[in-house]
Amino acid sequence: MVDFAQVSAAPAPDLLTPDNCAVLFVDHQPQMFFGTGSGDRTAIINATVGLAKAAKVFDVPVVLSTVAAESFSGPLMPQLADVFPDQKIVDRSTMNAWEDTAFVDAVKATGRTKLVIAGLWTEVCVVLPALSALAQGYEVYVVTDASGGVSPQAHEHAVQRMVQAGVVPVTWVQVLLELQRDWARAETYLPVMDVVKEHGGTYGLGIVYAQTFIGAHAAG
């Protein structure tokens, strides 16, 4: 039942904000992309970089991690590394990042309790840390379009498994706009528009069109 005396113009505490979340990128590496077959890999790369730039615009803490970078999987994809050129990358031997002490310490150091996770593959390197973090009290959001599995079925079943456990599925644009949430926030308005124009596909083209005919501050 709604208590009208308690209704006010205020955001829900479940919403992501620049002050309550961290973004974790897990195993966006060449060898992992080679085995990804759940969707268009170029689109996954685009979504991953869009998510990274969203985190950077809002100064959200980020953890970058790879698995067996020097012996099998190769380096973190350069488009992602370039967004955070000074960021230390946690390399692991464990498929479950949450079983790596350095990774967990890096997450704890952010001080955030809402974790936004993207990675390859969804059914292994995303689902395992997502469920592990959830079990330890974190709220977990998985960016499904910045993640991929070896097949559509593998990706979808992994997402279903996580949702059933309490993980929240989101997309990278959803994260970007949830962090902005008010077009009157002028300090991040133009950087957000730049990310959308570069990585938002036809949404980005729509911004270009609107700004051409309405003006530079046309709302998104």
Side-chain angles (χ1 to χ4, degrees):
M1 248 183 112
V2 176
D3 181 356
F4 289 102
Q6 301 299 318
V7 175
S8 64
D14 289 340
L15 295 182
L16 298 171
T17 74
D19 300 319
N20 69 13
C21 68
V23 181
L24 318 181
F25 293 92
V26 184
D27 304 349
H28 290 93
Q29 299 166 261
Q31 184 64 43
M32 307 308 293
F33 271 106
F34 296 158
T36 298
S38 59
D40 181 74
R41 287 172 288 189
T42 300
I44 297 172
I45 291 171
N46 179 71
T48 302
V49 179
L51 178 65
K53 291 181 178 179
K56 188 165 187 177
V57 165
F58 291 96
D59 199 26
V60 172
V62 164
V63 176
L64 305 176
S65 187
T66 54
V67 63
E70 295 185 4
S71 60
F72 178 73
S73 301
L76 188 74
M77 70 180 205
Q79 302 96 317
L80 177 54
D82 287 348
V83 180
F84 307 104
D86 301 319
Q87 180 87 17
K88 179 181 178 181
I89 300 170
V90 179
D91 191 48
R92 321 174 321 275
S93 64
T94 61
M95 286 182 279
N96 181 6
W98 209 262
E99 294 179 47
D100 183 271
T101 300
F103 180 86
V104 174
D105 285 347
V107 175
K108 289 167 63 177
T110 69
R112 307 300 173 83
T113 59
K114 295 179 186 288
L115 304 181
V116 179
I117 304 179
L120 305 177
W121 298 316
T122 319
E123 66 272 24
V124 183
C125 300
V126 175
V127 73
L128 299 181
L131 296 182
S132 299
L134 194 71
Q136 294 187 15
Y138 284 90
E139 296 176 58
V140 181
Y141 302 75
V142 167
V143 189
T144 58
D145 56 352
S147 304
V150 298
S151 68
Q153 185 179 47
H155 176 76
E156 181 58 32
H157 285 185
V159 172
Q160 289 177 1
R161 181 183 180 187
M162 290 186 284
V163 169
Q164 289 172 358
V167 172
V168 180
V170 293
T171 64
W172 82 266
V173 171
Q174 181 179 350
V175 172
L176 174 70
L177 299 184
E178 194 162 324
L179 294 174
Q180 176 68 25
R181 216 171 65 244
D182 188 342
W183 295 122
R185 291 176 178 163
E187 67 276 9
T188 51
Y189 175 84
L190 290 178
V192 165
M193 290 296 96
D194 287 341
V195 175
V196 170
K197 285 188 286 187
E198 187 171 0
H199 298 282
T202 53
Y203 174 29
L205 286 177
I207 297 298
V208 172
Y209 180 87
Q211 290 181 343
T212 299
F213 290 100
I214 300 173
H217 293 281

